[in-house]
Amino acid sequence: MKIAIMLFDGVTALDAIGPYEVFAATMKCEVKFVAKKKGLIKLDSSMGYLHADYDFSEVDSADILVVPGCSPPNYKTPMNDQVTLNWIRQIHKTTKWTTSVCNGSLILSAADILNGTIATCHWGSFDLLRSLGTIPTDERVVRQGKIVTAAGVSSGIDMALHIVAWEFGEDISKGVQLILEYDPQPPFDAGSPKKAPALLVEQIRGMLQEFDKR
Amino acid sequence: MKIAIMLFDGVTALDAIGPYEVFAATMKCEVKFVAKKKGLIKLDSSMGYLHADYDFSEVDSADILVVPGCSPPNYKTPMNDQVTLNWIRQIHKTTKWTTSVCNGSLILSAADILNGTIATCHWGSFDLLRSLGTIPTDERVVRQGKIVTAAGVSSGIDMALHIVAWEFGEDISKGVQLILEYDPQPPFDAGSPKKAPALLVEQIRGMLQEFDKR
């Protein structure tokens, strides 16, 4: 299968690399990192880069499109760039699965791909997603027809394992999980707003809202 | 804190990007991707690149060193390269924490940093780790003094969350977990050899052993 992972300046590395690693481990997927302009892509932390090996003109179809997210407000540039949105629309016409990780669903929404549907994104971006006409839900992986949206950052790993199971069968997905030794044992159980201390949730929500105003 | 993540051709992207994303999300760490030669670093899948912004000569100390792993047999080049091993030894002298992800512990072992200690690595590399004089254990994150080794690929996320808790306190670690929405929900429970179907474990073990012979 042909996978296109869209990159843009200010992307969150793990949003892209989580699904990449799952699809790569199947040894049945050709993954391409694609951006408006190929070359180095600055990470949202400003402490490193990913690399787009292809520009939009070189990739006009994909079986799976992955649109990763970013720290606020880095989504604003792709959300307001017609070249990017048109490329997403073009690829979406050709896909079996169109997917997003984290607030990548804001970008899918800006491309008119999520209008009126139920989708997820990073918990800190629910209001923004709703303002774009998409109905947010706090499930970790949301499948609506061929569109699959995932929650914040790390959830792209879970999403990609689901898609691998749907496409290649449960055994291949379990095999990938085993290769990646994805047997999560975080030291705490604070990975969602429902589970984290309420004060911490509000602190981080406030911080992300401040970032969005930049 | 200053974090140095060592890269080398054939690295597994998630081994490096998992810890990177955790440390970056603290907003208290300066992360540098470092390699023998700076520039693009080919991934083990041959389907993309990470980027080393610094070469060894530019980084002579770190509070935390992260040595990621790779698909077999890509560890052989760094394990047999004295410039790489000497750089690791030099940085190790300066660290508060020296860490590895996946079979990065083979490289630490080759640098004489794990001799006779208990450590972990990808479950498929236990025999190789033992042959280097290190005692393998199947815990996901193993702390021995200032040396912390993590199991396969995705375990670097858990490891880094532990280190963040030890260094900055539990609240910061929980906050990072929440920012990364690390509330894992894999579709299956097959992420370790104890949990995956026995036949699958043996198939993948065989495949990895074949890769090692390349």
Side-chain angles (χ1 to χ4, degrees):
Chain A
M1 295 196 84
K2 293 193 303 179
I3 321 286
I5 301 180
M6 189 185 93
L7 298 180
F8 54 92
D9 273 335
V11 71
T12 298
L14 186 54
D15 288 24
I17 294 301
Y20 151 79
E21 202 68 63
V22 170
F23 291 127
T26 65
M27 289 176 280
K28 294 170 181 290
C29 296
E30 182 193 11
V31 184
K32 292 181 176 177
F33 292 99
V34 191
K36 187 175 178 181
K37 189 177 164 209
K38 61 186 166 186
L40 291 178
I41 304 290
K42 193 191 273 191
L43 300 180
D44 50 6
S45 68
S46 298
M47 296 190 293
Y49 299 88
L50 290 180
H51 187 263
D53 305 305
Y54 301 88
D55 65 34
F56 289 163
S57 72
E58 295 174 291
V59 177
D60 61 6
S61 69
D63 297 308
I64 303 176
L65 170 65
V66 180
V67 178
C70 53
S71 300
N74 300 324
Y75 33 71
K76 290 180 183 172
T77 302
M79 284 173 72
N80 290 296
D81 182 63
Q82 287 306 317
V83 174
T84 299
L85 299 180
N86 283 335
W87 182 79
I88 291 173
R89 290 179 191 120
Q90 162 60 25
I91 302 298
H92 175 58
K93 282 184 202 161
T94 72
T95 58
K96 288 186 76 174
W97 304 101
T98 295
T99 79
S100 64
V101 180
C102 197
N103 46 37
S105 57
L106 301 177
I107 305 171
L108 285 188
S109 209
D112 300 320
I113 285 171
L114 295 180
N115 294 9
T117 64
I118 297 169
T120 195
C121 64
H122 192 282
W123 59 270
S125 297
F126 277 6
D127 289 347
L128 201 44
L129 187 63
R130 192 180 293 110
S131 76
L132 294 166
T134 302
I135 305 152
T137 172
D138 64 359
E139 288 169 66
R140 190 158 173 87
V141 176
V142 179
R143 177 178 173 177
Q144 290 276 296
K146 77 170 191 178
I147 302 170
V148 187
T149 53
V153 192
S154 60
S155 63
I157 300 172
D158 297 327
M159 179 187 76
L161 286 170
H162 277 289
I163 293 177
V164 167
W166 300 331
E167 275 297 323
F168 302 116
E170 294 195 358
D171 274 359
I172 301 286
S173 185
K174 287 177 184 174
V176 168
Q177 188 182 4
L178 184 59
I179 288 171
L180 303 188
E181 206 158 347
Y182 186 48
D183 179 29
Q185 296 170 28
F188 308 108
D189 189 15
S192 84
K194 285 181 183 167
K195 296 174 176 176
L199 184 62
L200 194 62
V201 175
E202 290 320 306
Q203 282 172 344
I204 291 174
R205 193 192 303 279
M207 182 188 77
L208 295 172
Q209 284 169 350
E210 284 305 309
F211 284 179
D212 186 60
K213 291 176 191 156
R214 282 179 187 175
Chain B
M1 296 196 84
K2 294 194 300 176
I3 322 286
I5 300 180
M6 189 185 94
L7 298 180
F8 54 91
D9 274 334
V11 70
T12 297
L14 187 54
D15 288 23
I17 294 300
Y20 152 79
E21 202 69 61
V22 169
F23 292 125
T26 64
M27 290 176 281
K28 296 173 180 288
C29 296
E30 183 193 10
V31 184
K32 292 182 177 177
F33 292 98
V34 191
K36 186 174 179 181
K37 189 177 164 210
K38 62 184 166 187
L40 292 178
I41 304 290
K42 192 190 275 193
L43 300 181
D44 50 6
S45 68
S46 298
M47 295 191 294
Y49 299 87
L50 291 179
H51 187 262
D53 305 305
Y54 301 89
D55 66 34
F56 288 162
S57 72
E58 295 173 292
V59 177
D60 62 5
S61 69
D63 297 307
I64 303 175
L65 170 65
V66 180
V67 178
C70 54
S71 299
N74 299 324
Y75 34 70
K76 289 182 185 173
T77 302
M79 284 173 72
N80 289 298
D81 181 63
Q82 287 305 319
V83 174
T84 299
L85 299 179
N86 283 335
W87 182 79
I88 291 172
R89 290 179 191 119
Q90 161 60 26
I91 301 298
H92 176 58
K93 282 184 201 160
T94 73
T95 59
K96 288 187 77 173
W97 304 101
T98 295
T99 79
S100 63
V101 180
C102 197
N103 45 39
S105 57
L106 300 178
I107 304 170
L108 284 188
S109 208
D112 300 320
I113 285 171
L114 295 179
N115 295 9
T117 63
I118 297 169
T120 194
C121 63
H122 192 282
W123 59 270
S125 298
F126 278 5
D127 288 347
L128 201 44
L129 187 62
R130 190 180 293 110
S131 76
L132 294 165
T134 302
I135 305 153
T137 171
D138 64 1
E139 287 169 68
R140 190 155 173 85
V141 176
V142 178
R143 178 179 174 175
Q144 290 275 298
K146 76 170 190 176
I147 302 170
V148 188
T149 53
V153 192
S154 60
S155 63
I157 300 172
D158 297 327
M159 180 187 75
L161 286 170
H162 277 288
I163 293 176
V164 167
W166 299 331
E167 274 297 322
F168 301 117
E170 293 196 358
D171 274 359
I172 302 284
S173 185
K174 288 177 185 174
V176 168
Q177 188 182 5
L178 185 59
I179 289 171
L180 303 188
E181 208 161 342
Y182 186 48
D183 179 29
Q185 297 170 29
F188 309 107
D189 189 15
S192 83
K194 283 181 184 167
K195 296 173 176 177
L199 183 62
L200 195 61
V201 175
E202 289 319 307
Q203 281 172 344
I204 292 174
R205 191 191 306 278
M207 183 188 76
L208 295 172
Q209 284 170 349
E210 282 305 307
F211 285 178
D212 187 60
K213 290 177 193 158
R214 282 179 186 176

